[in-house]
Amino acid sequence: MSVQIVTATNAQSAADACAHHIFTLLQAAITVGGRASLAISGGSTPRLLFRTMAAHPFQWDRVHLFFVDERCVPPADAASNYKLADENLIAPAKIPAANVHRILGEIPPEEAAKRYAAEIEEFFGLKDGALPQFDILHRGMGPDAHTASLFPGDPLIDDHTGIAAATFARKFNQWRVTLLPGVLLAARNTVFLVAGEDKIEAMRGVFHQPYDPMKFPSQIGNDRDSVTWFLDEKAAAGLQ
C-alpha cells in the first residue's frame, strides 16, 4: 500500500499531528483556489482534534466545513456530530455560520440525505452524476472497521455513484446519513485519526486481510498515497 502512516505515543499526540497535517492541506487548497473544503467525522477522538484545531489561528473564513456523517437527532442532542463539532471547533474558532454545511438530523433521514446531497452539488457546482472532490476528508474507524456510517454488510458500500444516503445502523438502532463510497474515493486528501486498543483487530483486518470493504469498510480508498493514517501506539499495534 502507498498510504502514509504516522504513529504517536498517545491519542492527543496523534490528534495534534493530524491537525498539523490538515492545516497544511487546507492552506495549500486556499492558496490554489481561494477556499478549502473539509469534511469531518464525529466520535470521541475527533474531540481532541477539534480542540487542537480551534486553538490554532487560521483563515477560517476561507474554510467550508461539511460532515462525513450524522446521527438522525436534533442538533442539540448529545449524540449529534454537529453538536460535537460546534462546541469544540466551530464556535471556539468562530467559523462563519455560512461556511458550515450541516446535515439536518432533525428531519426524516431520506429527506436529510437528499437535502445534504443537493447542498453539496450546489457548493461544488456539480453537473448531473458528478461527485464532489473534498480537499480534505477526515475519517475515523470503529472497532468493527466501519467508517463514516458505513457498517459491515451495508448494501450502500457498493454504491459508488451517489453522494449521500440514509442508512439504519442496526448496531445502534439508529438512523444516520452518510457520504457514500464514491465520495470517499474522490477526496483529494483523506486523513484517518484512530486511537485505542479496541481498534487493534480492525486495524489488522484493514491492513492485513484481502480487500473486502463489505467486511472492512475502512478499506475503502486505503490504497492511495493521498491517504494518511494518524494512530496512537495502542491502535498501531494492529499493524504488526
Side-chain angles (χ1 to χ4, degrees):
M1 291 183 181
S2 55
V3 300
Q4 309 300 310
I5 298 173
V6 177
T7 301
T9 54
N10 54 49
Q12 184 63 67
S13 296
D16 291 347
C18 185
H20 178 76
H21 183 62
I22 288 174
F23 280 128
T24 299
L25 297 173
L26 288 174
Q27 187 59 63
I30 292 170
T31 298
V32 172
R35 69 180 186 181
S37 55
L38 168 65
I40 58 174
S41 295
S44 56
T45 310
R47 181 181 285 107
L48 304 176
L49 171 67
F50 297 159
R51 289 177 176 173
T52 295
M53 292 177 68
H56 185 90
F58 196 72
Q59 306 171 69
W60 290 112
D61 60 320
R62 301 289 189 91
V63 178
H64 282 260
L65 199 65
F66 292 82
F67 290 80
V68 171
D69 64 337
E70 180 59 281
R71 289 82 179 267
C72 291
V73 297
D77 191 286
S80 168
N81 286 344
Y82 169 78
K83 178 180 173 65
L84 175 76
D86 186 45
E87 291 179 346
N88 295 281
L89 175 59
I90 298 168
K94 297 181 172 60
I95 300 177
N99 289 23
V100 180
H101 307 268
R102 77 176 182 90
I103 299 170
L104 303 178
E106 66 272 27
I107 67 175
E110 295 289 349
E111 180 63 21
K114 183 178 178 180
R115 288 198 195 183
Y116 190 49
E119 184 167 353
I120 290 173
E121 288 173 347
E122 181 179 3
F123 177 82
F124 286 96
L126 300 178
K127 296 180 180 179
D128 289 347
L131 294 176
Q133 281 191 302
F134 285 99
D135 292 310
I136 305 103
L137 207 149
H138 155 240
R139 291 162 60 183
M141 181 181 69
D144 57 358
H146 86 265
T147 191
S149 280
L150 298 169
F151 291 83
D154 191 330
L156 290 177
I157 291 170
D158 287 331
D159 186 340
H160 286 224
T161 59
I163 293 175
T167 186
F168 187 72
R170 298 187 184 281
K171 181 176 181 178
F172 298 100
N173 194 34
Q174 181 184 66
W175 278 97
R176 299 186 177 195
V177 172
T178 184
L179 293 179
L180 293 171
V183 179
L184 304 187
L185 291 166
R188 290 189 170 90
N189 299 279
T190 297
V191 295
F192 276 90
L193 176 60
V194 180
E197 61 184 356
D198 62 331
K199 309 295 175 63
I200 290 176
E201 289 306 314
M203 289 296 299
R204 286 180 179 147
V206 170
F207 281 88
H208 297 307
Q209 292 298 315
Y211 184 75
D212 183 2
M214 192 61 73
K215 185 175 182 181
F216 306 107
S218 288
Q219 288 181 333
I220 296 170
N222 195 38
D223 58 353
R224 305 176 179 211
D225 57 11
S226 58
V227 176
T228 305
W229 289 73
F230 292 88
L231 310 170
D232 70 349
E233 288 182 345
K234 292 178 180 178
L239 295 173
Q240 300 173 5

mmCIF file of all heavy atoms in Angstrom, residues 13 27 54 58-59 63 79 84 90 97 112 120 131 149 151 160 163 169 177 182 186 208 222-223 226 230:
data_model
loop_
_atom_site.group_PDB
_atom_site.id
_atom_site.type_symbol
_atom_site.label_atom_id
_atom_site.label_comp_id
_atom_site.label_asym_id
_atom_site.label_seq_id
_atom_site.Cartn_x
_atom_site.Cartn_y
_atom_site.Cartn_z
ATOM 1 N N SER A 13 -1.444 13.217 21.085
ATOM 2 C CA SER A 13 -0.330 13.469 20.172
ATOM 3 C C SER A 13 -0.697 13.110 18.738
ATOM 4 O O SER A 13 -0.306 13.803 17.796
ATOM 5 C CB SER A 13 0.904 12.670 20.611
ATOM 6 O OG SER A 13 1.358 13.108 21.873
ATOM 7 N N GLN A 27 -4.243 25.001 3.854
ATOM 8 C CA GLN A 27 -3.515 26.159 3.327
ATOM 9 C C GLN A 27 -3.179 25.978 1.855
ATOM 10 O O GLN A 27 -3.290 26.920 1.058
ATOM 11 C CB GLN A 27 -2.229 26.394 4.124
ATOM 12 C CG GLN A 27 -1.500 27.678 3.744
ATOM 13 C CD GLN A 27 -2.364 28.910 3.936
ATOM 14 O OE1 GLN A 27 -2.761 29.224 5.058
ATOM 15 N NE2 GLN A 27 -2.682 29.618 2.850
ATOM 16 N N ALA A 54 -9.125 24.328 16.874
ATOM 17 C CA ALA A 54 -9.777 25.568 17.289
ATOM 18 C C ALA A 54 -8.795 26.535 17.950
ATOM 19 O O ALA A 54 -8.979 27.754 17.901
ATOM 20 C CB ALA A 54 -10.930 25.269 18.236
ATOM 21 N N PHE A 58 -6.239 30.624 12.175
ATOM 22 C CA PHE A 58 -6.300 30.212 10.783
ATOM 23 C C PHE A 58 -7.327 31.054 10.044
ATOM 24 O O PHE A 58 -8.163 31.720 10.643
ATOM 25 C CB PHE A 58 -6.654 28.713 10.666
ATOM 26 C CG PHE A 58 -6.364 28.122 9.314
ATOM 27 C CD1 PHE A 58 -5.056 27.897 8.911
ATOM 28 C CD2 PHE A 58 -7.388 27.829 8.431
ATOM 29 C CE1 PHE A 58 -4.778 27.375 7.665
ATOM 30 C CE2 PHE A 58 -7.129 27.307 7.176
ATOM 31 C CZ PHE A 58 -5.811 27.078 6.789
ATOM 32 N N GLN A 59 -7.277 30.982 8.718
ATOM 33 C CA GLN A 59 -8.226 31.718 7.875
ATOM 34 C C GLN A 59 -9.545 30.939 7.797
ATOM 35 O O GLN A 59 -9.927 30.436 6.745
ATOM 36 C CB GLN A 59 -7.655 31.885 6.470
ATOM 37 C CG GLN A 59 -6.276 32.518 6.393
ATOM 38 C CD GLN A 59 -5.720 32.423 4.981
ATOM 39 O OE1 GLN A 59 -6.203 33.072 4.050
ATOM 40 N NE2 GLN A 59 -4.703 31.601 4.826
ATOM 41 N N VAL A 63 -12.588 28.512 4.937
ATOM 42 C CA VAL A 63 -12.817 27.066 5.060
ATOM 43 C C VAL A 63 -14.312 26.772 5.115
ATOM 44 O O VAL A 63 -15.044 27.372 5.909
ATOM 45 C CB VAL A 63 -12.143 26.497 6.326
ATOM 46 C CG1 VAL A 63 -12.431 24.999 6.469
ATOM 47 C CG2 VAL A 63 -10.634 26.740 6.285
ATOM 48 N N ALA A 79 -25.838 13.177 21.021
ATOM 49 C CA ALA A 79 -25.292 12.242 20.030
ATOM 50 C C ALA A 79 -24.961 12.923 18.703
ATOM 51 O O ALA A 79 -24.373 12.282 17.824
ATOM 52 C CB ALA A 79 -26.286 11.113 19.783
ATOM 53 N N LEU A 84 -21.026 18.158 18.616
ATOM 54 C CA LEU A 84 -19.633 17.928 18.992
ATOM 55 C C LEU A 84 -18.715 18.919 18.291
ATOM 56 O O LEU A 84 -17.837 19.542 18.910
ATOM 57 C CB LEU A 84 -19.227 16.496 18.630
ATOM 58 C CG LEU A 84 -17.756 16.144 18.868
ATOM 59 C CD1 LEU A 84 -17.489 15.926 20.346
ATOM 60 C CD2 LEU A 84 -17.360 14.894 18.081
ATOM 61 N N ILE A 90 -16.304 24.737 15.810
ATOM 62 C CA ILE A 90 -16.992 25.820 15.098
ATOM 63 C C ILE A 90 -17.109 27.087 15.938
ATOM 64 O O ILE A 90 -16.698 28.172 15.507
ATOM 65 C CB ILE A 90 -18.386 25.343 14.638
ATOM 66 C CG1 ILE A 90 -18.242 24.177 13.652
ATOM 67 C CG2 ILE A 90 -19.151 26.488 13.983
ATOM 68 C CD1 ILE A 90 -19.542 23.444 13.364
ATOM 69 N N ALA A 97 -21.062 31.019 10.161
ATOM 70 C CA ALA A 97 -22.195 30.107 10.027
ATOM 71 C C ALA A 97 -22.453 29.750 8.566
ATOM 72 O O ALA A 97 -22.846 28.615 8.259
ATOM 73 C CB ALA A 97 -23.438 30.735 10.647
ATOM 74 N N ALA A 112 -33.249 14.304 4.749
ATOM 75 C CA ALA A 112 -31.981 14.903 5.178
ATOM 76 C C ALA A 112 -30.863 14.567 4.194
ATOM 77 O O ALA A 112 -30.049 15.426 3.833
ATOM 78 C CB ALA A 112 -31.619 14.415 6.575
ATOM 79 N N ILE A 120 -24.395 19.938 -1.349
ATOM 80 C CA ILE A 120 -23.051 19.625 -1.843
ATOM 81 C C ILE A 120 -22.962 19.887 -3.346
ATOM 82 O O ILE A 120 -21.988 20.480 -3.836
ATOM 83 C CB ILE A 120 -22.689 18.167 -1.510
ATOM 84 C CG1 ILE A 120 -22.472 18.007 0.004
ATOM 85 C CG2 ILE A 120 -21.444 17.714 -2.280
ATOM 86 C CD1 ILE A 120 -22.281 16.578 0.463
ATOM 87 N N LEU A 131 -19.427 13.653 -8.902
ATOM 88 C CA LEU A 131 -19.174 13.533 -7.481
ATOM 89 C C LEU A 131 -18.259 14.662 -7.007
ATOM 90 O O LEU A 131 -17.380 15.114 -7.754
ATOM 91 C CB LEU A 131 -18.518 12.184 -7.170
ATOM 92 C CG LEU A 131 -19.380 10.943 -7.418
ATOM 93 C CD1 LEU A 131 -18.567 9.684 -7.173
ATOM 94 C CD2 LEU A 131 -20.618 10.966 -6.521
ATOM 95 N N SER A 149 -20.688 6.311 8.224
ATOM 96 C CA SER A 149 -21.713 5.445 8.826
ATOM 97 C C SER A 149 -21.967 4.265 7.908
ATOM 98 O O SER A 149 -23.094 3.829 7.691
ATOM 99 C CB SER A 149 -23.001 6.221 9.104
ATOM 100 O OG SER A 149 -22.884 6.978 10.295
ATOM 101 N N PHE A 151 -21.380 0.575 7.814
ATOM 102 C CA PHE A 151 -21.067 -0.551 8.682
ATOM 103 C C PHE A 151 -20.936 -1.834 7.854
ATOM 104 O O PHE A 151 -21.486 -1.926 6.749
ATOM 105 C CB PHE A 151 -22.156 -0.714 9.742
ATOM 106 C CG PHE A 151 -22.169 0.393 10.757
ATOM 107 C CD1 PHE A 151 -22.815 1.589 10.483
ATOM 108 C CD2 PHE A 151 -21.525 0.248 11.981
ATOM 109 C CE1 PHE A 151 -22.825 2.630 11.418
ATOM 110 C CE2 PHE A 151 -21.524 1.273 12.914
ATOM 111 C CZ PHE A 151 -22.169 2.463 12.625
ATOM 112 N N HIS A 160 -21.268 3.506 -5.624
ATOM 113 C CA HIS A 160 -20.153 4.391 -5.971
ATOM 114 C C HIS A 160 -20.597 5.568 -6.828
ATOM 115 O O HIS A 160 -19.759 6.279 -7.382
ATOM 116 C CB HIS A 160 -19.061 3.603 -6.696
ATOM 117 C CG HIS A 160 -18.273 2.708 -5.786
ATOM 118 N ND1 HIS A 160 -16.897 2.604 -5.839
ATOM 119 C CD2 HIS A 160 -18.654 1.892 -4.775
ATOM 120 C CE1 HIS A 160 -16.475 1.752 -4.913
ATOM 121 N NE2 HIS A 160 -17.529 1.308 -4.266
ATOM 122 N N ILE A 163 -24.111 10.538 -3.719
ATOM 123 C CA ILE A 163 -23.351 11.451 -2.855
ATOM 124 C C ILE A 163 -23.591 11.155 -1.386
ATOM 125 O O ILE A 163 -22.651 11.027 -0.599
ATOM 126 C CB ILE A 163 -23.709 12.916 -3.173
ATOM 127 C CG1 ILE A 163 -23.220 13.282 -4.575
ATOM 128 C CG2 ILE A 163 -23.093 13.856 -2.130
ATOM 129 C CD1 ILE A 163 -23.617 14.674 -5.037
ATOM 130 N N ALA A 169 -28.326 2.088 11.189
ATOM 131 C CA ALA A 169 -27.242 1.401 11.891
ATOM 132 C C ALA A 169 -27.855 0.460 12.932
ATOM 133 O O ALA A 169 -28.209 0.888 14.039
ATOM 134 C CB ALA A 169 -26.320 2.413 12.551
ATOM 135 N N VAL A 177 -27.219 9.561 8.374
ATOM 136 C CA VAL A 177 -26.983 9.994 6.997
ATOM 137 C C VAL A 177 -25.478 9.975 6.790
ATOM 138 O O VAL A 177 -24.718 10.434 7.649
ATOM 139 C CB VAL A 177 -27.541 11.409 6.743
ATOM 140 C CG1 VAL A 177 -27.113 11.918 5.366
ATOM 141 C CG2 VAL A 177 -29.062 11.409 6.850
ATOM 142 N N GLY A 182 -18.269 6.478 -3.265
ATOM 143 C CA GLY A 182 -17.734 7.238 -4.384
ATOM 144 C C GLY A 182 -17.164 8.570 -3.955
ATOM 145 O O GLY A 182 -16.130 9.028 -4.473
ATOM 146 N N ALA A 186 -13.267 9.909 -3.995
ATOM 147 C CA ALA A 186 -12.966 11.083 -4.820
ATOM 148 C C ALA A 186 -12.199 12.172 -4.074
ATOM 149 O O ALA A 186 -11.674 13.097 -4.701
ATOM 150 C CB ALA A 186 -14.269 11.672 -5.383
ATOM 151 N N HIS A 208 -4.224 -6.139 6.822
ATOM 152 C CA HIS A 208 -3.629 -7.462 6.592
ATOM 153 C C HIS A 208 -4.561 -8.479 5.953
ATOM 154 O O HIS A 208 -4.109 -9.561 5.572
ATOM 155 C CB HIS A 208 -3.084 -8.029 7.910
ATOM 156 C CG HIS A 208 -1.981 -7.214 8.510
ATOM 157 N ND1 HIS A 208 -0.849 -6.852 7.811
ATOM 158 C CD2 HIS A 208 -1.843 -6.668 9.752
ATOM 159 C CE1 HIS A 208 -0.057 -6.131 8.592
ATOM 160 N NE2 HIS A 208 -0.639 -6.000 9.770
ATOM 161 N N ASN A 222 -8.232 2.854 0.801
ATOM 162 C CA ASN A 222 -6.983 2.688 1.545
ATOM 163 C C ASN A 222 -5.884 2.048 0.696
ATOM 164 O O ASN A 222 -5.207 1.115 1.116
ATOM 165 C CB ASN A 222 -7.227 1.836 2.796
ATOM 166 C CG ASN A 222 -6.069 1.927 3.773
ATOM 167 O OD1 ASN A 222 -5.485 2.988 3.948
ATOM 168 N ND2 ASN A 222 -5.729 0.820 4.404
ATOM 169 N N ASP A 223 -5.722 2.566 -0.506
ATOM 170 C CA ASP A 223 -4.646 2.083 -1.375
ATOM 171 C C ASP A 223 -4.043 3.250 -2.141
ATOM 172 O O ASP A 223 -3.443 3.062 -3.187
ATOM 173 C CB ASP A 223 -5.186 1.027 -2.348
ATOM 174 C CG ASP A 223 -6.317 1.555 -3.213
ATOM 175 O OD1 ASP A 223 -6.778 2.685 -2.968
ATOM 176 O OD2 ASP A 223 -6.744 0.830 -4.137
ATOM 177 N N SER A 226 -2.770 9.493 -1.242
ATOM 178 C CA SER A 226 -3.442 10.673 -0.706
ATOM 179 C C SER A 226 -4.081 10.386 0.655
ATOM 180 O O SER A 226 -4.757 11.235 1.221
ATOM 181 C CB SER A 226 -4.525 11.156 -1.676
ATOM 182 O OG SER A 226 -5.472 10.126 -1.921
ATOM 183 N N PHE A 230 -3.301 8.547 11.154
ATOM 184 C CA PHE A 230 -2.681 9.030 12.387
ATOM 185 C C PHE A 230 -3.167 8.124 13.516
ATOM 186 O O PHE A 230 -4.362 8.044 13.794
ATOM 187 C CB PHE A 230 -3.058 10.492 12.633
ATOM 188 C CG PHE A 230 -2.451 11.430 11.628
ATOM 189 C CD1 PHE A 230 -3.117 11.694 10.433
ATOM 190 C CD2 PHE A 230 -1.209 12.002 11.840
ATOM 191 C CE1 PHE A 230 -2.554 12.530 9.468
ATOM 192 C CE2 PHE A 230 -0.643 12.842 10.879
ATOM 193 C CZ PHE A 230 -1.316 13.103 9.693
#
